[in-house]
Structures are given as structure tokens and as C-alpha cells.
Amino acid sequence: LIFSYILKRIFSARSIWITGSLLLVFGYVGLVGYASSACRAFVMITMWQISLLLHKKGNPLSALYWAFIVLLLIAPDSLFSLGFQLSFTVVLSILFCYHKKSFSTKGFNLYNFVKNSIIVSYSSFFGSSLLMIDHFHFINPTSIVINVVLVNLIFVIFLICLLYVISAFFFGSHALSFFVESIYSIIVFLLNHFNQFNFLHFRFPKDFDIPNVIHLLYPLLLIIVMPYLSHSRHRLIVVSCLPSVFLLVSLYVNWAM
């Protein structure tokens, strides 16, 4: 969005500023080591920008499906990567709970901003819960509240980091480096300190296993039932109940074995 905003005011031709912004974003993807989440986001952004180029309305779900297909064609083994699975499952859960009316309000509205932030954090938590339990054997429900604060804070820090990179590259100035590092250190310290409160964790045995078929069924069921649920509250109920049911099934399977 930032690159598009800047380049749009330099180049009038839509094809030039869209291509330029995509190249800059791809450079960022390379900068972070082609992480699964970054690659998924880049393909989704590319599909969205192509829609703008063709004067068509963007479809986030279609972009997510295309990102899934493209990344699997490039690197089929990434399907078994936790980062790949979390990236697509969490984004699918967010889009599942996405309600166009809630996000299309013109102008800034504090109530809608807070409400939508909570919805996104809520759907992210339940979307990732089965994978988190399977790999780390605990979940922390208070992360729903923590993420609302943390995501918005990190967005501000990201903008500061971007200004730092630009100032260091073009002007050789490192004035913002101490400020960025200090904020980063404080966030890491607080998160590590907060993570010490074990009473906030729901822990599972180290040998507890969630069958792989369940990790496949969860996103498939979301995709299947999505067209039949028109209200946000119904989708929020489903996105929380579905992992809970699968968790109970996994507990029974582990107990039976």
C-alpha cells in the first residue's frame, strides 16, 4: 500500500506503478528469506494488483487459493512446513470470519477498528490452535487480547523500520536505529515475561498427537460451509467450535490408543 501510494503519484500509468510496487515488495520477500507467510502474502498481493490492472474487483479468497496452488507448484514439500500450514490456515480463518459490511465503513471509526481487531485476533487464535497444540503442546487464550495490542504496535514499528531503511540507504543516517532496537527489546522482554505466567496456559502431554487428517479437514470444512453462513456471529461460532470438536476427537483417539 505504501509503495503503491508513492509510485502512483510519480507515474500516471497504472501498469508502471503496479509493476514497480510489486517488484519492491518482492525485494522485501527476498529480504526476509522467502518465508512461507511472506511468499503467500506476495502472491495474494500480486493477484489483487492484477485485478486492479484488469479493472476487476479483487477476491481475497480466490487470491488465497491461487497462492496455495502457486507455492505448492514451486515447492511441494512446503505443504509439510509448520509455517506454510499456519500461514494459510490462519488467513483462511480470518477470511472466513470476514464480514464486508464491517470492514467497508468509510473513514476511521474507533469502535469498528477495535471490534474488527478483536475478530481478526479471535479467528487467528482458533485457526492456529490445533497446529499450536500439535507442535508446541500448549495454547494461551489471552493471546487473543495480546495480539490486538501487539499487531497494531508492530505496524507502527514496521513503518519506523521502513523510514530507518530509507534514511540509512539514501542519507546514511542511523539516527533511528537505537529507537527501533529499544522498542524491539522492550516488546521481546514483555512477551517473554508474560509467557512465564504458566497459569494462563492450557498444556497438553508431550506425546499428545492430533492426526494429520484433522489438520486437513479443518480448512476443508471452513471452505465447504462458508457459502451457507451469511452472518458474522454464525461464522465466529463455527470457527471456535470446529477446532474444539476436533480437539475432543483427538483426545479420544489418543486415549483409545
Side-chain angles (χ1 to χ4, degrees):
L1 288 173
I2 294 170
F3 291 145
S4 296
Y5 180 83
I6 295 172
L7 294 177
K8 192 186 297 185
R9 278 147 184 79
I10 300 174
F11 304 101
S12 57
R14 184 189 294 255
S15 58
I16 295 177
W17 62 259
I18 286 180
T19 303
S21 61
L22 287 176
L23 288 173
L24 289 168
V25 173
F26 184 73
Y28 174 78
V29 173
L31 190 66
V32 298
Y34 301 99
S36 296
S37 57
C39 291
R40 184 266 311 153
F42 174 73
V43 176
M44 289 186 68
I45 291 170
T46 301
M47 298 301 299
W48 171 46
Q49 294 290 346
I50 290 174
S51 299
L52 289 178
L53 192 60
L54 299 175
H55 301 281
K56 293 184 178 294
K57 191 174 181 180
N59 186 327
L61 271 175
S62 177
L64 180 66
Y65 299 155
W66 274 110
F68 182 82
I69 293 169
V70 169
L71 293 182
L72 278 187
L73 289 174
I74 296 173
D77 291 342
S78 61
L79 180 63
F80 305 101
S81 163
L82 176 60
F84 182 91
Q85 295 172 4
L86 277 173
S87 180
F88 281 95
T89 306
V90 168
V91 174
L92 177 62
S93 300
I94 293 173
L95 294 179
F96 180 81
C97 297
Y98 175 91
H99 198 288
K100 195 171 294 185
K101 291 181 180 179
S102 301
F103 288 83
S104 60
T105 305
K106 292 183 178 180
F108 179 80
N109 184 295
L110 182 61
Y111 170 76
N112 284 331
F113 177 78
V114 173
K115 182 186 71 172
N116 293 332
S117 296
I118 293 173
I119 289 174
V120 169
S121 184
Y122 181 89
S123 55
S124 299
F125 171 78
F126 283 101
S128 64
S129 59
L130 292 174
L131 287 166
M132 296 295 289
I133 292 171
D134 200 19
H135 288 268
F136 302 106
H137 306 289
F138 82 94
I139 50 174
N140 186 352
T142 56
S143 63
I144 297 174
V145 178
I146 296 171
N147 284 338
V148 172
V149 178
L150 193 63
V151 168
N152 292 296
L153 180 61
I154 287 179
F155 175 72
V156 175
I157 295 172
F158 178 81
L159 293 180
I160 296 172
C161 288
L162 186 61
L163 288 175
Y164 166 66
V165 171
I166 293 172
S167 63
F169 184 78
F170 290 102
F171 308 107
S173 173
H174 297 275
L176 291 172
S177 61
F178 176 76
F179 182 65
V180 171
E181 289 291 340
S182 298
I183 296 177
Y184 177 78
S185 299
I186 291 171
I187 291 175
V188 171
F189 172 78
L190 290 175
L191 286 176
N192 288 332
H193 181 71
F194 191 80
N195 201 41
Q196 300 299 319
F197 301 147
N198 292 329
F199 63 89
L200 298 174
H201 297 169
F202 285 89
R203 296 192 173 275
F204 297 81
K206 292 293 184 182
D207 58 347
F208 180 74
D209 177 66
I210 295 179
N212 290 333
V213 66
I214 285 181
H215 294 306
L216 179 63
L217 282 175
Y218 172 73
L220 284 178
L221 285 176
L222 289 186
I223 293 171
I224 291 171
V225 303
M226 195 180 301
Y228 304 102
L229 300 173
S230 57
H231 296 289
S232 290
R233 61 178 178 273
H234 296 155
R235 294 191 174 193
L236 288 170
I237 292 171
V238 170
V239 86
S240 58
C241 289
L242 202 55
S244 302
V245 170
F246 281 140
L247 181 59
L248 290 175
V249 171
S250 299
L251 287 169
Y252 175 78
V253 170
N254 279 262
W255 176 79
M257 295 177 61

